[in-house]
Amino acid sequence: MIDPGQGVMIPPDTEATSLSGIDGLREEDVVLPISKKVADILAKNGVQAMLTRDTGCVLGASVSNSLRYRTQMAQVLDATLFVSIHANRFNGVAKGARTFYYGDSSKRLAQLVQNSMLESLSSLTDRGVRSDDFLYTLKNVPMPGIHIETGFIDNKEDAARLRNSEYQNKMAEAIASGILQYLKQQK
């Protein structure tokens, strides 16, 4: 299950809002093309990949309902993995990619994807792999799951790269490569 992050803002139960950064770059403008490309690459490699959405940001739904829907979708469709792809926003200075996981069963997947992104994208700043229990989607899926922050849309350098379709394609290829490595190791 590939989950293009919706750009929703916390706290829960506020109206969903797309995060925006430099020159109006929105999270959904970055993560939806990357997510679709990841799904395409996986399909070309014999892996059935489903998206939690394939259109723009779903506005008007509460955050908790959106998160609950996405995790239930993964459960109902009996997904093997849950991969949530996001772009971050913080203070305009922070940059780089980080992969979060929850639970020991997800740690190896997170490490493989993070390493693949770093190997494929030499300009990418490594923010590391981190276990965290604050991510609703990761805590509420029974399968291994990760939450990828591809970069910061409010950082000039990251935003310029994330806006570029060639860079998005390379990011997608790196994420898919990490997933495929993980699946191969599970056989």
Side-chain angles (χ1 to χ4, degrees):
M1 180 66 63
I2 307 298
D3 175 45
Q6 290 187 304
V8 293
M9 299 189 71
I10 305 302
D13 296 319
T14 58
E15 291 302 303
T17 307
S18 180
L19 293 179
S20 62
I22 303 285
D23 296 328
L25 180 63
R26 298 175 305 165
E27 180 180 30
E28 67 186 79
D29 299 331
V30 172
V31 300
L32 191 55
I34 291 172
S35 297
K36 286 180 175 182
K37 180 74 172 172
V38 169
D40 288 344
I41 294 167
L42 293 175
K44 288 177 183 170
N45 283 277
V47 176
Q48 182 182 8
M50 300 166 280
L51 294 164
T52 57
R53 66 182 177 93
D54 63 0
T55 59
C57 187
V58 180
L59 297 176
S62 72
V63 174
S64 60
N65 285 343
S66 170
L67 297 175
R68 193 169 18 261
Y69 167 78
R70 290 151 55 199
T71 58
Q72 287 174 346
M73 184 181 205
Q75 291 175 41
V76 167
L77 295 174
D78 196 26
T80 305
L81 301 175
F82 186 84
V83 177
S84 193
I85 301 173
H86 296 261
N88 212 338
R89 182 178 79 173
F90 182 57
N91 61 6
V93 177
K95 64 181 180 176
R98 174 177 281 160
T99 304
F100 293 95
Y101 68 95
Y102 178 71
D104 291 338
S105 65
S106 302
K107 185 175 184 178
R108 184 73 183 140
L109 173 61
Q111 290 172 327
L112 287 168
V113 169
Q114 183 77 7
N115 290 343
S116 182
M117 290 188 299
L118 294 172
E119 289 169 10
S120 299
L121 303 159
S122 60
S123 59
L124 189 63
T125 300
D126 182 12
R127 295 184 62 84
V129 171
R130 184 171 140 191
S131 175
D132 219 313
D133 64 359
F134 74 91
L135 295 164
Y136 179 92
T137 51
L138 297 186
K139 287 181 14 178
N140 288 281
V141 291
M143 69 285 301
I146 59 174
H147 175 110
I148 304 164
E149 292 289 355
T150 58
F152 287 78
I153 58 175
D154 65 341
N155 175 283
K156 188 175 181 177
E157 294 170 37
D158 276 6
R161 286 189 288 267
L162 290 169
R163 180 183 306 280
N164 180 288
S165 61
E166 185 178 318
Y167 185 85
Q168 291 174 1
N169 287 339
K170 286 181 181 179
M171 176 68 73
E173 289 166 5
I175 293 168
S177 176
I179 293 168
L180 291 168
Q181 288 175 53
Y182 177 83
L183 291 173
K184 184 182 250 186
Q185 290 178 2
Q186 299 306 303
K187 290 184 178 181

